[in-house]
């Protein structure tokens, strides 16, 4: 008998090429240690509820009623659920054709898409068309759908910020395209230099790659920076000159921890720029219920909105979405609740504000504790986390540590992160999993562990780090 289609040797080569560091070697080792009974703090993935963040009460009440509509017929329902949750559950059930157990339209429930369009209009000050909004199973599924439409083969390139979230490198590999990196400038608070973009495009063209799209992650993952309006204008101008589609990954737009640089959507900046740019640049923007103060990762709710995409293309994207029949319906209701939140005067409003403010203010404090903690460590430098959910400190590893990593057959920051995991139970992601400049090393950790655990986590990190650096430094530091 010869090799079969699902034998490793004959599998699709693109699948084998995929790397996904967030659930890579470190995560697998952490899972093994956990099975052996070691206490592991999983800071490798932005998964707030897994690290103890409590779900917001109101959305869960509404979805609970939608999941169990017979409760609405119970005469005592008003004793357990507030009136606004009951009204909202009835509203969402009336938008479905058979409740949460029935398929919806492949783009998502029209009534929920209308709520998303109204949210975008309130946010940006420009009308949005529900027909150009697709609800998806988390933002990741939307990103994959769009990249699948853009990438025709190996000759097609997508500009991706480095360090980058590995969803992009993995998906581009899977669809057989080419990743074209553009480097963010760590010393300029992970800012973006348009000259660097031009250089990346020129190098790709020299290799025969047609650059077709550009990704921005704002606020940044893993880097945590917020793009300024001026930066966004430069990016949109660049996309206009180079004829690129802009993919705006804006899933962390609620996660802002400073007041100098609020979140501004790519779409608002594009519309503000006016014609011809506002009529020409193709933009796809992504959002989710997984991040922000919602953190509903497991619900898998997201959307993308298309700007300046021709109707025929929209039809083709709809056709591809139809293969999966329907995005999951409970998540669509979560999305509706996120974009159409409670208003002052609603029965549950005060509790909702108290809960959401509490989460955001705590994240703001945790961002500061973590940045200051890293900067107090030997040979560690960390930019402040302006937004998103991550810290991305640079590790200045001594030559002897780099040599020891080589002896162990490991990339230096993987070597460091494995040692950190074994010593402290803190599971991070090495910077090499996101891409970084040659000879520079990082790790990414979320800022999500419970606030009361944060000082202890940072002190155990500092103890490990300072001992590690001392062990490998010897005379290195004295001769510098």
């Amino acid at each position: 008998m010869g090799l079969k289609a699902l034998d490793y040797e004959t599998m699709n080569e693109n699948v084998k090429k995929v790397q996904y560091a967030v659930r890579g070697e470190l995560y697998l080792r952490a899972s093994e240690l956990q099975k052996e009974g070691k206490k592991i703090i999983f800071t490798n993935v932005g998964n707030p509820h897994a690290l103890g963040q409590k779900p917001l009460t109101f959305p869960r009440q509404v979805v609970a009623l939608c999941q169990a509509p017979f409760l609405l017929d119970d005469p005592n329902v008003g004793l357990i659920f507030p009136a606004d949750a009951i009204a909202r559950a009835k509203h969402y059930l009336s938008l479905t054709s058979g409740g949460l157990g029935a398929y919806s339209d492949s783009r998502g429930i029209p009534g929920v898409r209308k709520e998303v369009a109204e949210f975008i209009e309130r946010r940006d000050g420009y009308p949005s068309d529900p027909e150009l909004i697709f609800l998806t199973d988390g933002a990741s599924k939307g990103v994959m759908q769009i990249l699948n439409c853009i990438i025709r083969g190996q000759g097609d390139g997508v500009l991706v910020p480095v360090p980058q979230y590995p969803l992009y490198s993995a998906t581009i590999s899977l669809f057989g395209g080419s990743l074209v990196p553009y480097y963010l400038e760590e010393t300029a608070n992970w800012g973006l230099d348009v000259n660097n973009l031009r250089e990346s495009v020129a190098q790709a063209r020299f290799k025969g790659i047609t650059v077709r799209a550009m990704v921005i992650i704002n606020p940044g993952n893993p880097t945590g920076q917020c793009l300024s309006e001026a930066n966004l204008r430069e990016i949109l101008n660049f996309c206009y000159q180079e004829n690129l589609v802009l993919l705006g990954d804006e899933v962390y737009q609620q996660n802002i921890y400073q007041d100098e640089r609020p979140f501004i959507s790519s779409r608002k900046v594009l519309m503000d720029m006016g014609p011809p740019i506002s009529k020409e640049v193709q933009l796809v923007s992504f959002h989710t219920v997984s991040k922000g103060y919602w953190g509903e990762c497991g619900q898998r709710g997201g959307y993308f909105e298309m700007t300046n995409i021709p109707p025929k293309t929209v039809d083709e994207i709809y056709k591809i979405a139809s293969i999966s029949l329907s995005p999951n319906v409970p998540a669509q209701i979560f999305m509706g609740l996120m974009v159409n939140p409670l208003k002052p005067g609603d029965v549950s409003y005060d509790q909702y504000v108290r809960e959401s403010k509490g989460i955001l203010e705590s994240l703001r404090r945790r961002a500061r504790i973590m940045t200051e903690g890293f900067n107090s460590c030997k040979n560690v430098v960390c930019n402040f986390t302006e937004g998103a959910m991550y810290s991305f400190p640079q590790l200045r590893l001594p030559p002897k540590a780099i040599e020891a990593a080589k002896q162990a057959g490991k990339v230096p920051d993987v070597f460091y992160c494995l040692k950190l995991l074994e010593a402290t139970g803190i599971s991070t992601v090495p910077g090499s999993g996101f891409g970084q400049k040659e000879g520079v090393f990082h790790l990414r950790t979320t800022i999500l562990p419970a606030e009361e655990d944060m000082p202890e986590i940072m002190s155990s990190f500092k103890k490990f780090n300072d001992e590690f650096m001392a062990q490998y430094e010897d005379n290195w530091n004295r001769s510098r």
Side-chain angles (χ1 to χ4, degrees):
M1 293 291 280
L3 289 168
K4 298 177 182 65
L6 275 177
D7 286 346
Y8 180 78
E9 293 76 6
T10 64
M11 270 178 81
N12 178 345
E13 285 300 323
N14 288 341
V15 172
K16 291 196 251 180
K17 279 184 204 155
V18 168
Q19 302 281 327
Y20 192 69
V22 174
R23 291 271 169 102
E25 179 183 1
L26 257 291
Y27 173 75
L28 297 173
R29 179 70 188 126
S31 301
E32 270 172 31
L33 288 170
Q34 192 180 40
K35 282 183 196 133
E36 291 165 17
K38 188 171 173 73
K39 182 176 182 260
I40 301 296
I41 302 152
F42 284 100
T43 71
N44 59 300
V45 64
N47 193 8
H49 292 196
L51 288 164
Q53 183 175 309
K54 294 277 181 286
L56 298 173
T57 306
F58 181 73
R60 287 295 185 97
Q61 288 171 326
V62 175
V63 176
L65 287 166
C66 292
Q67 289 279 19
F70 47 81
L71 293 175
L72 292 166
D73 303 328
D74 189 305
N76 294 322
V77 67
L79 299 175
I80 303 172
F81 291 92
D84 46 9
I86 294 168
R88 206 53 104 76
K90 287 177 176 168
H91 156 72
Y92 285 117
L93 286 171
S94 75
L95 299 179
T96 66
S97 54
L100 270 52
Y103 290 130
S104 74
D105 183 275
S106 304
R107 287 164 299 188
I109 298 164
V112 175
R113 286 189 282 127
K114 184 171 174 287
E115 289 180 324
V116 173
E118 287 162 358
F119 155 78
I120 293 169
E121 184 169 344
R122 283 195 307 276
R123 185 193 66 189
D124 296 343
Y126 296 96
S128 167
D129 181 356
E131 294 302 299
L132 299 175
I133 292 165
F134 282 43
L135 302 180
T136 53
D137 294 340
S140 305
K141 270 283 158 54
V143 167
M144 293 177 84
Q145 280 176 23
I146 297 298
L147 285 172
N148 198 11
C149 295
I150 289 170
I151 295 167
R152 301 164 301 183
Q154 218 170 355
D156 283 345
V158 179
L159 275 165
V160 176
V162 172
Q164 56 101 31
Y165 177 51
L167 163 69
Y168 293 96
S169 49
T171 305
I172 292 164
S173 282
L174 190 59
F175 296 148
S178 296
L179 184 140
V180 179
Y182 67 90
Y183 289 94
L184 301 175
E185 212 30 78
E186 187 165 11
T187 51
N189 212 19
W190 298 113
L192 186 154
D193 181 355
V194 173
N195 294 325
N196 192 319
L197 280 177
R198 290 203 177 91
E199 214 170 283
S200 295
V201 171
Q203 282 175 1
R205 286 190 180 139
F206 181 72
K207 293 177 192 159
I209 293 168
T210 307
V211 181
R212 286 169 57 82
M214 173 176 174
V215 173
I216 57 169
I217 307 174
N218 181 37
N221 175 9
T223 45
Q225 85 293 10
C226 297
L227 292 175
S228 66
E229 190 173 344
N231 230 180
L232 286 164
R233 270 202 303 273
E234 285 185 308
I235 291 163
L236 287 157
N237 261 319
F238 176 77
C239 289
Y240 176 65
Q241 290 157 5
E242 300 291 344
N243 209 12
L244 304 177
V245 186
L246 182 64
L247 306 186
D249 179 334
E250 297 174 337
V251 299
Y252 296 102
Q253 58 190 267
Q254 294 173 331
N255 298 99
I256 306 293
Y257 311 125
Q258 37 71 46
D259 303 319
E260 298 76 62
R261 261 203 287 274
F263 169 76
I264 307 165
S265 75
S266 316
R267 185 173 178 275
K268 176 175 169 44
V269 177
L270 178 63
M271 293 299 147
D272 284 350
M273 288 169 86
I277 287 188
S278 62
K279 293 268 186 278
E280 286 286 332
V281 173
Q282 295 185 339
L283 168 68
V284 185
S285 308
F286 302 89
H287 199 10
T288 184
V289 299
S290 298
K291 308 302 175 190
Y293 41 84
W294 287 61
E296 293 281 7
C297 298
Q299 311 288 357
R300 309 311 302 131
Y303 77 72
F304 62 83
E305 183 206 22
M306 297 172 278
T307 305
N308 297 328
I309 308 293
K312 270 186 155 171
T313 306
V314 176
D315 291 346
E316 292 298 320
I317 295 170
Y318 185 28
K319 178 181 75 184
I320 297 301
S322 302
I323 296 171
S324 308
L325 282 167
S326 159
N328 89 72
V329 177
Q332 297 183 47
I333 292 170
F334 273 103
M335 180 54 78
L337 288 158
M338 185 176 88
V339 296
N340 183 11
L342 289 159
K343 292 169 186 60
D346 290 341
V347 186
S348 306
Y349 177 76
D350 289 346
Q351 182 187 16
Y352 176 78
V353 168
R354 196 168 56 247
E355 289 174 351
S356 45
K357 259 196 161 151
I359 292 166
L360 271 182
E361 282 166 5
S362 171
L363 283 168
R364 201 180 249 241
R365 288 191 296 271
R366 283 179 268 172
R368 198 158 290 288
I369 293 168
M370 206 162 232
T371 309
E372 286 168 1
F374 284 133
N375 283 323
S376 76
C377 294
K378 192 171 190 170
N379 296 355
V380 179
V381 200
C382 188
N383 281 326
F384 177 62
T385 301
E386 298 182 337
M389 294 179 168
Y390 310 98
S391 254
F392 197 62
Q394 186 186 132
L395 310 167
R396 298 191 166 160
L397 299 176
K400 281 197 168 169
I402 295 170
E403 189 50 45
K406 206 178 281 177
Q407 298 289 315
K410 301 282 179 206
V411 177
D413 49 17
V414 173
F415 178 76
Y416 176 97
C417 290
L418 280 168
K419 295 256 189 223
L420 170 70
L421 172 66
E422 304 279 348
T424 65
I426 301 169
S427 174
T428 58
V429 188
S432 46
F434 300 95
Q436 52 198 350
K437 288 184 174 170
E438 193 63 41
V440 181
F441 307 106
H442 296 86
L443 64 81
R444 186 193 82 166
T445 166
T446 66
I447 61 167
L448 297 171
E451 192 175 339
E452 60 271 20
D453 299 340
M454 206 52 117
E456 192 190 332
I457 290 170
M458 292 317 290
S459 85
S460 80
F461 177 88
K462 183 175 169 62
K463 181 175 181 292
F464 161 79
N465 174 79
D466 293 359
E467 284 170 8
F468 177 96
M469 295 300 177
Q471 180 191 342
Y472 289 104
E473 261 187 345
D474 277 2
N475 310 322
W476 178 57
N477 227 11
R478 275 174 238 142
S479 63
R480 276 163 83 204

